[in-house]
Amino acid sequence: SNSNFVLELDFEPFNASFPRPSMSKSIGNGVQFLNRHLSSKLFQDKESLYPLLNFLKAHNYKGTTMMLNDRIQSLRGLQSSLRKAEEYLLSVPQDTPYSEFNHRFQELGLEKGWGDTAKRVLDTLHLLLDLLEAPDPANLEKFLGTIPMMFNVVILSPHGYFAQSNVLGYPDTGGQVVYILDQVRALENEMLLRIKQQGLDITPKILIVTRLLPDAAGTTCGQRLEKVIGTEHTDIIGVPFRNENGILRKWISRFDVWPYLETYSEDVSSEIMKEMQAKPDLIIGNYSDGNLVATLLAHKLGVTQCTIAHALEKTKYPNSDIYLDKFDSQYHFSCQFTADLIAMNHTDFIITSTFQE
């Protein structure tokens, strides 16, 4: 193929060696399920903990080292440094800011990211010490949750008419616009709180990527960038659909977007890298079109992907697969079903709103 896009099909059983919940009660408890599996792998013996050590040593943000530096080379060295750090923290007031003992910690091989005060740093150190001595899934989940990893997030809603006013009456957009705007406000607040508690001076960035519509009179859907009201670090960025004839100026139904999405993914990749000056840490897709674009981007950039299955098309339109020949020319269900299958199988984790999905 001379195209940039080649669909690869791997017929090796993808679930043969990977843990898979078999009981319906596990639905909604995926994090706990995976942590139990990860614990059993990590804690077979002391040597099994080296992947965790290597991750903490390699962890950085835009070249700035976090958690551990090169002074720590072994698990024994890590344990020794944590004990010395614990001893020091017990000798200072609990509200002592990290900046006051940063230099002391660097000498021990510890970098920023453990917490913003002596008490919070001590709590994080204790979690890791407990893991090194008597590991269990609950402590592993707590410790992984304290590691700073989320600074840049991209949320995709490509089928357009996404803005903050005068768009809710347009087809296919109303519920999604309200949902995502609520989501980003909550997400930004949580990111700011965690970054502060981790003792870091990093500004997060959230981008809602949608389709730019040059001919969207009476709305802001024709502008490239729009700040989200009620946030400090969240923008809506518009990227137009285009083909060999140029930019598509008018809105088209989400049932007709499929021929544009691959080129759109390439354009979006360039725009988000330009805007963020870094790769995103997480890409979130919404609906079939957004999830397909999220899949292409996550694959290209090597980034963690979240798929939000608001309404899988096959369950949303009863008998749509039975009467595929009758409806496909108008609704392109075959494209939508394929997009859902690709996204659901490529993604790292899935959020659904109903048990059925």
Side-chain angles (χ1 to χ4, degrees), residues 182-195 204 206 230-232 234:
D182 280 350
Q183 183 189 57
V184 294
R185 291 186 185 105
L187 191 57
E188 183 183 291
N189 287 337
E190 180 67 18
M191 288 167 73
L192 286 168
L193 176 64
R194 288 196 185 201
I195 290 169
I206 300 174
T231 69
E232 295 177 59
T234 303

CSV table of all heavy atoms in Angstrom, one decimal, residues 182-195 204 206 230-232 234:
chain,number,residue,atom,x,y,z
A,182,ASP,N,-18.4,19.3,31.2
A,182,ASP,CA,-18.4,19.0,32.6
A,182,ASP,C,-17.2,18.1,33.0
A,182,ASP,O,-16.6,18.3,34.0
A,182,ASP,CB,-19.7,18.2,33.0
A,182,ASP,CG,-20.9,19.0,33.1
A,182,ASP,OD1,-20.7,20.3,33.2
A,182,ASP,OD2,-22.0,18.5,33.2
A,183,GLN,N,-16.9,17.2,32.1
A,183,GLN,CA,-15.7,16.3,32.3
A,183,GLN,C,-14.4,17.0,32.4
A,183,GLN,O,-13.6,16.8,33.4
A,183,GLN,CB,-15.7,15.3,31.1
A,183,GLN,CG,-14.6,14.2,31.3
A,183,GLN,CD,-14.5,13.4,30.0
A,183,GLN,OE1,-14.2,14.0,28.9
A,183,GLN,NE2,-14.6,12.1,30.1
A,184,VAL,N,-14.2,18.0,31.5
A,184,VAL,CA,-12.8,18.7,31.6
A,184,VAL,C,-12.7,19.6,32.8
A,184,VAL,O,-11.6,19.7,33.3
A,184,VAL,CB,-12.6,19.5,30.3
A,184,VAL,CG1,-12.4,18.5,29.1
A,184,VAL,CG2,-13.6,20.5,30.0
A,185,ARG,N,-13.8,20.2,33.3
A,185,ARG,CA,-13.7,21.0,34.5
A,185,ARG,C,-13.3,20.2,35.7
A,185,ARG,O,-12.4,20.5,36.5
A,185,ARG,CB,-15.0,21.8,34.7
A,185,ARG,CG,-15.3,22.8,33.6
A,185,ARG,CD,-16.6,23.6,34.0
A,185,ARG,NE,-16.9,24.5,32.9
A,185,ARG,CZ,-17.8,24.4,32.0
A,185,ARG,NH1,-18.7,23.3,32.1
A,185,ARG,NH2,-18.0,25.2,31.0
A,186,ALA,N,-14.0,19.0,35.8
A,186,ALA,CA,-13.7,18.1,36.9
A,186,ALA,C,-12.2,17.6,36.8
A,186,ALA,O,-11.5,17.5,37.7
A,186,ALA,CB,-14.7,17.0,37.0
A,187,LEU,N,-11.9,17.2,35.5
A,187,LEU,CA,-10.5,16.6,35.3
A,187,LEU,C,-9.4,17.6,35.6
A,187,LEU,O,-8.4,17.3,36.2
A,187,LEU,CB,-10.5,16.2,33.8
A,187,LEU,CG,-9.3,15.3,33.4
A,187,LEU,CD1,-9.2,14.1,34.2
A,187,LEU,CD2,-9.4,15.0,31.9
A,188,GLU,N,-9.6,18.9,35.2
A,188,GLU,CA,-8.6,19.9,35.4
A,188,GLU,C,-8.4,20.1,36.9
A,188,GLU,O,-7.3,20.2,37.4
A,188,GLU,CB,-8.9,21.2,34.7
A,188,GLU,CG,-7.9,22.3,34.9
A,188,GLU,CD,-8.2,23.6,34.3
A,188,GLU,OE1,-8.2,23.7,33.1
A,188,GLU,OE2,-8.4,24.6,35.1
A,189,ASN,N,-9.5,20.2,37.6
A,189,ASN,CA,-9.4,20.4,39.1
A,189,ASN,C,-8.7,19.3,39.8
A,189,ASN,O,-7.9,19.5,40.7
A,189,ASN,CB,-10.9,20.5,39.7
A,189,ASN,CG,-11.5,21.9,39.4
A,189,ASN,OD1,-10.8,22.8,39.1
A,189,ASN,ND2,-12.8,21.9,39.4
A,190,GLU,N,-9.0,18.1,39.3
A,190,GLU,CA,-8.3,16.9,39.9
A,190,GLU,C,-6.8,16.9,39.6
A,190,GLU,O,-6.0,16.6,40.4
A,190,GLU,CB,-9.0,15.6,39.4
A,190,GLU,CG,-8.4,14.3,39.9
A,190,GLU,CD,-8.6,14.1,41.4
A,190,GLU,OE1,-9.5,14.7,42.0
A,190,GLU,OE2,-7.9,13.3,42.0
A,191,MET,N,-6.5,17.2,38.3
A,191,MET,CA,-5.1,17.3,37.9
A,191,MET,C,-4.3,18.4,38.7
A,191,MET,O,-3.2,18.1,39.2
A,191,MET,CB,-5.0,17.5,36.4
A,191,MET,CG,-5.4,16.4,35.6
A,191,MET,SD,-5.6,16.8,33.8
A,191,MET,CE,-3.9,17.0,33.3
A,192,LEU,N,-4.9,19.5,38.9
A,192,LEU,CA,-4.2,20.6,39.6
A,192,LEU,C,-4.0,20.2,41.1
A,192,LEU,O,-2.9,20.5,41.6
A,192,LEU,CB,-5.1,21.9,39.5
A,192,LEU,CG,-5.1,22.7,38.2
A,192,LEU,CD1,-6.1,23.7,38.2
A,192,LEU,CD2,-3.7,23.3,38.0
A,193,LEU,N,-5.0,19.6,41.7
A,193,LEU,CA,-4.9,19.2,43.1
A,193,LEU,C,-3.8,18.1,43.2
A,193,LEU,O,-2.9,18.2,44.1
A,193,LEU,CB,-6.2,18.6,43.5
A,193,LEU,CG,-6.2,18.0,45.0
A,193,LEU,CD1,-6.0,19.1,46.0
A,193,LEU,CD2,-7.5,17.3,45.3
A,194,ARG,N,-3.7,17.1,42.3
A,194,ARG,CA,-2.7,16.1,42.4
A,194,ARG,C,-1.3,16.6,42.2
A,194,ARG,O,-0.4,16.2,42.9
A,194,ARG,CB,-3.0,15.0,41.4
A,194,ARG,CG,-4.2,14.1,41.8
A,194,ARG,CD,-4.2,12.8,41.0
A,194,ARG,NE,-5.5,12.1,41.3
A,194,ARG,CZ,-5.6,10.8,41.1
A,194,ARG,NH1,-4.6,10.1,40.6
A,194,ARG,NH2,-6.7,10.2,41.3
A,195,ILE,N,-1.2,17.5,41.2
A,195,ILE,CA,0.2,18.1,40.9
A,195,ILE,C,0.7,18.9,42.1
A,195,ILE,O,1.8,18.8,42.5
A,195,ILE,CB,0.1,18.9,39.6
A,195,ILE,CG1,-0.1,18.0,38.4
A,195,ILE,CG2,1.4,19.8,39.5
A,195,ILE,CD1,-0.4,18.8,37.1
A,204,PRO,N,-0.7,21.8,33.9
A,204,PRO,CA,-1.3,20.8,33.1
A,204,PRO,C,-2.0,21.5,31.9
A,204,PRO,O,-2.2,22.7,31.8
A,204,PRO,CB,-2.4,20.2,34.0
A,204,PRO,CG,-2.7,21.3,34.9
A,204,PRO,CD,-1.5,22.1,35.1
A,206,ILE,N,-5.2,20.6,29.0
A,206,ILE,CA,-6.3,19.7,28.4
A,206,ILE,C,-6.7,20.3,27.1
A,206,ILE,O,-7.0,21.5,27.0
A,206,ILE,CB,-7.5,19.6,29.4
A,206,ILE,CG1,-7.0,19.0,30.7
A,206,ILE,CG2,-8.6,18.7,28.7
A,206,ILE,CD1,-8.1,18.9,31.8
A,230,GLY,N,-14.6,28.7,32.9
A,230,GLY,CA,-14.5,28.0,34.2
A,230,GLY,C,-13.3,27.1,34.4
A,230,GLY,O,-13.2,26.4,35.3
A,231,THR,N,-12.3,27.3,33.4
A,231,THR,CA,-11.1,26.5,33.5
A,231,THR,C,-9.9,27.5,33.3
A,231,THR,O,-10.1,28.6,32.8
A,231,THR,CB,-11.0,25.4,32.5
A,231,THR,OG1,-10.8,26.0,31.2
A,231,THR,CG2,-12.2,24.5,32.5
A,232,GLU,N,-8.7,27.0,33.7
A,232,GLU,CA,-7.5,27.8,33.5
A,232,GLU,C,-6.6,27.3,32.4
A,232,GLU,O,-5.9,28.0,31.7
A,232,GLU,CB,-6.6,27.8,34.8
A,232,GLU,CG,-7.3,28.5,36.0
A,232,GLU,CD,-6.4,28.3,37.3
A,232,GLU,OE1,-5.2,28.8,37.2
A,232,GLU,OE2,-6.9,27.7,38.2
A,234,THR,N,-7.6,24.7,29.9
A,234,THR,CA,-8.4,23.9,29.0
A,234,THR,C,-8.9,24.7,27.8
A,234,THR,O,-9.5,25.7,28.0
A,234,THR,CB,-9.6,23.2,29.7
A,234,THR,OG1,-9.1,22.4,30.8
A,234,THR,CG2,-10.3,22.2,28.7
